[in-house]
Amino acid sequence: MSDPTALAFDDTTDFDNADRGFIAALSPAVVKDARGEVVYDNDAYAFLAGECPDTAHPSLWRQAQLCARQGLYEVTTGVYQVRGLDLSNMTLVEGERGVIVIDPLISAETASAALALYRAHRGDRPVTGLIYTHSHGDHFGGGRGVLPHGTEAGVPILAPAGFLEHAVSENVYAGNAMTRRAVFMYGDRLPKAPDGQIGAGLGMTTSTGTITLIPPTVDITETGQEETVDGVRIVFQLTPGTEAPAEMNFLFPELRALCLAENATHNMHNILTLRGAVVRDARIWARYLDETVNYFDGRYDVAFASHHWPTWGHDEVVTFLHAQRDLYAYLHDQTLRLLNDGLTGPEIAEVLRLPPALERAWHARGYYGSLSHNVKAIYQRYLGWFDGNVAHLWEHPPVELARRYIDVAGGPEQALTKARAYVDQGDLRFAATLLNHIVFATPGNDRDTATAAAAREALADVYDRLGRGAENGPWRNFYLASAAELRHGAAPAHIDTGGAEMIAALPTSMLLDSIAIRIDGPAAWDDDLTIDLVLTDEQSSHRLTLHHGALTHRRLQGKPKRGAGLTLRLSRAQLFGILAGKGLDGVWTEGDKALLERLLSRVTAPDPSFPIVTP
């Protein structure tokens, strides 16, 4: 009897759709910055034209072949996409005078190249509108590539309500740690090769150019809101709390084309990304997809998204959306059912399986999100990190815990011998656990230098094997990047999500938050100071208080009852200058200037290249 969940590798529908409407490719498909450095290279994936080797999962190889397709494509009359020049797609909708750009990729350089490819084949149309589908960087970072400085005047920039707050907070509050982990998740530093990086499931990898942010001028605040941009009518559906905190689908009624943003793509998405983020709500996600089907019913012939390839045919889109809806609803509801039976996140991840019809649906496969880590994320959303077993309530931190495990095992050499036995038995998961304990138990220990080095190499080999067998793109990249760190040390980061426009877009309260989270608390335990900021261009006043190692701030309403130790009257630009170390030139001051110097001395700079898999 055949396996009902067996994947139909002979089904070419996705390949047919991925190739449909092809006009031209960028050749060479290499994008460089102003210094001549490569920020994206799709030609590096030419090896995917070959047969799947034994160093890759056949299903992930197939997904990579689809995602690596590159060029300008016609979706329907008046709607075009540039795919394969970044992790995400850029969509272009032709209006009466020019072209509306949807989601200008990650980097200004890749966005500029994508727009140039479009113009080479559709004419030198001006950009007459810009739409951000949601608040993730791969959908707004390249804005200056399509609207350079000085060209945005009069161009409407549309985004869902809350876009700006979520776009900047994700890249500022935990931005350093998320960016560091993203290097592992997308594997952009790994060699592009059959035994290296072959994609990320959602796309190939992230570009590494200039990240920008042009603030929206038009907020979409409710489902049913209509806007006309360059003569093109658009009907919106707000979907907050789905794939992003601020996100929206929208319909072009006259073009009969539906944009699904990143709410429905050709893979299982993440409930919690491996780079880190706020846990998403799979329940709400499913409900909004159900609303999409019903709200736009009968009004479209094609649906396209911010990643992957379109789906043509109204009925085909409905079938696709119903399956995507059921995927997230099933993950949510079954995790809750088993959670309420007393199973923990890891236990649920081991026993839960999808219905056979979803398991064999290519677009529900775990190329980007995975059933395993999505289940754990849903558990985390409801019950947090603690699984209820009090033995896990107050465990030692990794190094101390590892030293004790290795002591129980009889020492590093004996533990290494046992770990190699698990490798020989094919139990790579426990071998990785045991080898990881050896690595953390022997940092800088001269007595066990040879054993520690052997353990690192053995663990790297295990990670290679686990990565090459993974169907999930980020899992593969994380494993292979971890192996590289074990062998070569932590690689320097080279993605900057805190550029000038990102910082400039921060509301003042969030800008002050960004300082507060960098205060060296222990160093400031004994500080007690108050500084008032009077922002002349905002006509607002803010009081900063550093006390007990915590920097708090509030907006002042009227004259405060107690004066501050220092008052600064300045513009936002001058405030940015102070934070950049340019001093108080031109700033009106009253009080003790030494308080500002003391406050700034407590602000730390995070390490952008901290180790991930080594102590």
Side-chain angles (χ1 to χ4, degrees), residues 430-488:
F430 187 70
T433 299
L434 186 49
L435 287 165
N436 182 67
H437 281 317
I438 303 172
V439 169
F440 272 75
T442 55
N445 188 332
D446 292 337
R447 182 170 55 86
D448 295 311
T449 297
T451 301
R456 288 184 182 226
E457 183 57 36
L459 182 55
D461 288 340
V462 168
Y463 285 161
D464 281 341
R465 291 176 61 180
L466 286 168
R468 291 166 184 172
E471 185 182 23
N472 181 275
W475 282 36
R476 177 186 175 96
N477 293 335
F478 239 98
Y479 278 127
L480 299 185
S482 297
E485 181 176 298
L486 285 164
R487 292 186 175 112
H488 310 298

Side-chain angles (χ1 to χ4, degrees), residues 91-109:
T91 304
L92 306 107
V93 179
E94 294 176 350
E96 294 177 352
R97 297 179 295 106
V99 63
I100 304 163
V101 173
I102 303 171
D103 287 354
L105 309 182
I106 295 176
S107 303
E109 294 85 353

Side-chain angles (χ1 to χ4, degrees), residues 324-540:
Q324 286 278 302
R325 173 200 64 189
D326 296 344
L327 171 64
Y328 299 114
Y330 191 90
L331 285 172
H332 176 272
D333 296 348
Q334 296 307 305
T335 299
L336 266 290
R337 178 179 67 85
L338 295 170
L339 170 158
N340 282 311
D341 278 342
L343 275 68
T344 65
E347 290 170 337
I348 299 170
E350 288 297 299
V351 301
L352 184 63
R353 59 167 294 190
L354 295 176
L358 289 179
E359 279 193 338
R360 61 175 176 260
W362 288 112
H363 65 81
R365 302 296 296 182
Y367 300 123
Y368 189 53
S370 77
L371 185 148
S372 178
H373 74 254
N374 278 342
V375 161
K376 295 168 189 173
I378 295 168
Y379 183 97
Q380 176 182 328
R381 181 179 179 87
Y382 286 96
L383 292 183
W385 63 269
F386 180 46
D387 63 5
N389 183 339
V390 75
H392 302 148
L393 184 60
W394 194 32
E395 292 183 314
H396 287 288
V399 169
E400 294 304 317
L401 188 65
R403 285 174 175 164
R404 286 158 175 80
Y405 270 116
I406 298 309
D407 181 60
V408 170
E413 292 184 3
Q414 292 85 343
L416 180 57
T417 298
K418 293 173 181 177
R420 285 170 169 159
Y422 281 107
V423 172
D424 293 341
Q425 296 167 22
D427 189 351
L428 299 181
R429 293 168 69 180
F430 187 70
T433 299
L434 186 49
L435 287 165
N436 182 67
H437 281 317
I438 303 172
V439 169
F440 272 75
T442 55
N445 188 332
D446 292 337
R447 182 170 55 86
D448 295 311
T449 297
T451 301
R456 288 184 182 226
E457 183 57 36
L459 182 55
D461 288 340
V462 168
Y463 285 161
D464 281 341
R465 291 176 61 180
L466 286 168
R468 291 166 184 172
E471 185 182 23
N472 181 275
W475 282 36
R476 177 186 175 96
N477 293 335
F478 239 98
Y479 278 127
L480 299 185
S482 297
E485 181 176 298
L486 285 164
R487 292 186 175 112
H488 310 298
H494 63 293
I495 300 174
D496 181 13
T497 61
E501 286 196 326
M502 187 74 70
I503 298 300
L506 287 170
T508 299
S509 62
M510 293 179 66
L511 176 63
L512 299 178
D513 281 346
S514 74
I515 301 170
I517 62 177
R518 293 168 55 193
I519 293 292
D520 183 343
W525 281 346
D526 297 326
D527 289 333
D528 187 2
L529 60 87
T530 303
I531 299 175
D532 284 351
L533 303 176
V534 180
L535 297 176
T536 55
D537 44 356
E538 283 190 353
Q539 295 185 335
S540 66

Side-chain angles (χ1 to χ4, degrees), residues 35-47:
R35 297 169 306 209
E37 296 181 4
V38 174
V39 300
Y40 197 81
D41 181 1
N42 200 72
D43 287 346
Y45 296 102
F47 63 85

Side-chain angles (χ1 to χ4, degrees), residues 566 568 570 574 578 582-589 593 596:
L566 173 66
L568 307 177
L570 71 175
Q574 289 173 316
I578 290 173
K582 296 181 180 179
L584 290 169
D585 289 347
V587 176
W588 181 90
T589 67
K593 296 179 184 179
L596 177 63

Side-chain angles (χ1 to χ4, degrees), residues 126-142:
V127 173
T128 49
L130 181 59
I131 301 176
Y132 304 136
T133 61
H134 61 291
S135 53
H136 290 154
D138 52 328
H139 305 276
F140 66 77

